[in-house]
Amino acid sequence: MLSLVLIIIYPRLGIHQDIVWNGAWRGIFGHKNDLGSLMALGNGIILVSVALSKNKRDMLINGSSYLLTFFLDRYRCSAKRFNIMAILNGLSLSMLYG
C-alpha cells in the first residue's frame, strides 16, 4: 500500500527516473526486484486467502487486495517476476483444488 501511495503522492520518488529503468515502478524499494519478490509471494498468499474466504465481506477485502498486488506486480516492468507470480498462482490453485 505504501508503494501505491508514494507513486500517487510523489511520482518522482516512486518511479525510476534513470535512463535504464525510466518509468518503471520502484515504490518504497530501491530496486524493482525487491518489490517484485515480495509482491509475487504476497500475491500467492492472498490468492489462497481469497479461495478460503467464507463470507462476502472477506471475499471483497481479499479480492481487492489480490487485485492490488496483481496490479502492482504487473506494472513493475519485469516479465520474469510476472512469470514467477503466474507460477505461484497456478501452484496455489492446484494445491487448493487439485
Side-chain angles (χ1 to χ4, degrees), residues 6-24:
L6 182 66
I7 290 167
I8 291 170
I9 295 174
Y10 301 108
R12 293 192 52 88
L13 293 176
I15 299 173
H16 282 282
Q17 301 297 321
D18 59 354
I19 295 170
V20 178
W21 301 108
N22 190 19

Side-chain angles (χ1 to χ4, degrees), residues 29 32-48 66 68-74 76 78-92:
F29 298 97
K32 66 183 181 125
N33 288 335
D34 299 333
L35 172 64
S37 299
L38 289 175
M39 275 301 130
L41 178 63
N43 191 268
I45 291 170
I46 292 172
L47 180 62
V48 172
Y66 176 79
L68 178 66
T69 58
F70 181 84
F71 179 72
L72 285 173
D73 195 56
R74 175 64 184 96
R76 275 180 307 98
S78 175
K80 180 180 176 184
R81 296 290 182 206
F82 186 71
N83 290 338
I84 290 171
M85 184 191 67
I87 291 168
L88 283 172
N89 282 336
L91 289 173
S92 297

